[in-house]
Amino acid sequence: MPVTLVLWIPTVIVMFAVMKPHRAAMWSFVLGWMYLPELGIGLSGLPDYTKVSASAIAIMLGVLFYDQQRLFALRLRLWDLPIILWCIAPFISSIVNGDGVYDGLSSMLNAVLPWGVPYLIGRLYLTNPVQAKDMAVIIFTATVLYLPLIWLEMLISPQLHLKLYGQHAHQFIHSIRDGGYRPRVFMKNGLTLALWMAGASICGVILWQSKQLKTMWGMPIAWLVAIQFLTLVFSRSSGALVLGVAGIGMYFSTFYVKSRILISLVLIALPIYLASRVVFDWDAAPVIEAAKSVFPSDRVGSLEYRIYNENLLRDKAMERPLFGWGGFGRSRLYNDEGQDISTTDSAWIIVLGQFGMFGLLSFFAILMLPLVRLAYRVPPLFWRHPAFAASIALAMILGIFMIDRLLNAQINPIPLMIAGGLTVMPWRQIFAMIRMQSMMAQKQKDRFVSAELQDNP
């Protein structure tokens, strides 16, 4: 039994006892994601007890013990509707497919723990610029501390999970690429680690450029940002590197061009892509052709195989388009001998197959609506303002996670926590505070000038 998964609950409760609740929750999710094992404890009739569910349960207990007043004061808003719909989607699919109430409730729990709880924690503790900066700094700091482990696995191969927890988190063969090793440390695979590195690099660059963080442990932040980005480059994950560069490029281009056009195009392109794939049976052949000009042939072959399987699974999913096939593998494909011949890498096709259009729309609405709201409320001119920069960094993390769901399906609670916070971030009040501070500074300056004139007529 993975003892660390059991001990994590009292550890998190102690963190709540000695830290501010919002920082305890943030550190608990980040450290749990980065260091707990990719193993699970099977529970009969219930979802497995994993690193994500362990952190979710532990943090909720910490909130109940040390900050229950904040929890009970929380009020739902219309923006929270997508997460509610997503959490009940498994129950509806179970009922529609005749699996019964018990299976529906168990399936709901499998959505609430990895999705609903992180979102709720974001709603509680990620709702102002100070908390957003704390979150961005924690992500960056924790990843800087992770760098020696990453470089160690680049040298000796991914062995840390095996040595500490007794088994590999994923097939070792997938850790060998381009004549070297693809590190994963305590995460599921190299792609998961690289995508985390991409998000941390975005945080580092924006904190540095906005002057929100100048030094760390006596070192200039620019050095640590450069080392972290270099580590991402050498992590041998081209997809994550592209997403990381895209997130950084989005930040700089939006600020310097002073236009929302780029982020608007991305937010429009995603639903168009999904609608084309699901409703209009588009085979995505142009995507494969475009990838051939950027990525190596083996990576393009992997992408082509994924899309081929998605096309087959989409046809199966559209036999029950509204609420999907539910669980028990009914959304997958089988040969005449009953063998499973499906390959499901992308989150969108898994969601469509199991929970139908109802689940797919709510799934992506959770990730998209906070970004739409930010793009509408925060003018590009303010993207480097101290009151907004950290939130922009977190939004870029949410954005690359959302795009990655088109190709992969790893569950990461951190973007869900970010979604919960950005969903209700009080942009208008922040602008009002900035205007008030500006007016007070101007009045103080006017008084100073007036005093100088009186002293020197």
Side-chain angles (χ1 to χ4, degrees), residues 118-164:
Y119 181 94
L120 173 62
I121 298 303
R123 285 282 274 105
L124 292 173
Y125 296 127
L126 195 53
T127 58
N128 61 58
V130 174
Q131 293 172 344
K133 180 184 175 181
D134 282 347
M135 187 70 200
V137 171
I138 286 171
I139 290 173
F140 179 74
T141 303
T143 308
V144 169
L145 294 172
Y146 220 49
L147 293 180
L149 302 180
I150 296 173
W151 283 97
L152 177 63
E153 288 206 338
M154 287 185 190
L155 295 173
I156 69 170
S157 80
Q159 297 291 330
L160 294 176
H161 197 284
L162 173 65
K163 297 299 183 183
L164 188 59

Side-chain angles (χ1 to χ4, degrees), residues 90-91 93-104 107 325-328 330:
F91 181 83
S93 293
S94 292
I95 297 301
V96 169
N97 286 282
D99 296 328
V101 173
Y102 183 84
D103 178 77
S107 300
W325 291 89
F328 303 101
R330 287 187 295 254

